[in-house]
Amino acid sequence: MVNTGYTSGSRPLRVGLTGGIGSGKTAVADLLAAQGAAIIDTDAIAHALTAPGGLAIEPLRRAFGPSMIGADGAMDRARMRELVFADPQAKSRLEALIHPLIGQEAEREAAERQGVYQVFVVPLLVESGRWRERVDRICVVDCDEATQMQRVQRRSGLAPEMIARIMNAQATRAERLAVADDVILNDGGTTPAQLADRTLAQHRAWLQRLPSP
Ligand code: ADP
């Protein structure tokens, strides 16, 4: 019998997967999905919430005014990014509006999804502070900053100054490691094959934690 991680009256094992921009969260999540984990991607949820017709659009319009909603009906991301970089209070207001909606949607998805266990991919898990009680394990994809910078530059072509701004607004490597239950190292010396091996080893360790069928 396949151990689905579900027993009557209990919920499946929940892992919160985090790491800085370019650390390799998506790469790890893809590898875990191939092993049968249900992936709940809070970045994708945030995008859907702020897309045309998304649940956050009307609250955003009320809180920030119509100029933050583009002609297509989506949140104007570039404009919002500039606002929150310049104004910490606006950043707090945006987070107070969007984080509960992300949490709610993540729970809704989790209730609908099967999987050996569940992985919530949360880029700002350490920063937002509300995830500790939602997950059983916090897993950090760990990477040095120089490699993060290189990977993001290669992937997105963003200017180094913009990447540095994003990284400075995120928790530090040490802050993430301080709250990690599990760590998958994906630094500059890590090959894709090594990342796959380390992820599989972590997957097996989580399987050991599942309730017996
Ligand atoms: P995140 O989701 O944390 O921002 P990604 O998983 O998208 O990071 O990884 C960032 C970029 O670096 C992607 O283009 C990915 O393919 C690449 N990458 C990640 N890990 C490695 C690695 N060990 N070796 C080479 N490229 C990698």
Side-chain angles (χ1 to χ4, degrees):
M1 184 179 149
V2 175
N3 184 353
T4 62
Y6 292 80
T7 56
S8 56
S10 76
R11 60 176 174 73
L13 180 80
R14 293 173 154 211
V15 174
L17 183 68
T18 192
I21 186 169
S23 59
K25 294 180 293 298
T26 307
V28 168
D30 289 348
L31 289 162
L32 294 173
Q35 297 299 321
I39 308 296
I40 296 141
D41 178 347
T42 62
D43 243 2
I45 291 174
H47 267 83
L49 286 169
T50 54
L55 278 177
I57 292 297
E58 286 317 311
L60 283 169
R61 197 193 305 275
R62 281 195 295 276
F64 292 93
S67 67
M68 284 297 159
I69 311 299
D72 62 352
M75 181 179 81
D76 187 329
R77 264 171 236 293
R79 216 170 180 153
M80 187 59 91
R81 197 179 303 126
E82 283 309 315
L83 176 69
V84 300
F85 270 135
D87 179 353
Q89 273 192 348
K91 182 166 186 263
S92 304
R93 281 198 295 137
L94 176 66
E95 286 171 354
L97 192 156
I98 219 98
H99 284 172
L101 289 174
I102 291 175
Q104 190 183 303
E105 286 301 291
E107 290 297 344
R108 199 181 53 73
E109 262 191 47
E112 285 174 0
R113 301 282 298 280
Q114 293 289 319
V116 183
Y117 53 85
Q118 296 182 327
V119 177
F120 295 78
V121 186
V122 188
L124 300 182
L125 185 147
V126 176
E127 295 83 340
S128 63
R130 298 164 195 227
W131 282 89
R132 176 70 275 189
E133 68 256 32
R134 283 208 189 105
V135 296
D136 304 303
R137 308 289 296 176
I138 292 179
C139 178
V140 168
V141 183
D142 182 45
C143 182
D144 59 282
E145 275 127 21
T147 303
Q148 283 179 259
M149 177 71 85
Q150 277 172 9
R151 287 190 191 141
V152 177
Q153 233 175 319
R154 207 175 307 138
R155 180 184 63 187
S156 66
L158 277 178
E161 301 73 49
M162 179 54 86
I163 302 169
R165 257 167 94 176
I166 294 170
M167 285 173 57
N168 286 336
Q170 296 189 341
T172 63
R173 187 178 187 187
E175 285 166 343
R176 278 191 203 93
L177 290 175
V179 300
D181 299 304
D182 303 300
V183 177
I184 298 175
L185 177 65
N186 187 32
D187 63 1
T190 305
T191 65
Q194 285 172 324
L195 179 63
D197 285 349
R198 287 172 192 164
T199 304
L200 193 58
Q202 185 58 67
H203 165 71
R204 294 201 175 113
W206 287 328
L207 289 185
Q208 297 295 314
R209 294 186 161 271
L210 297 183
S212 305

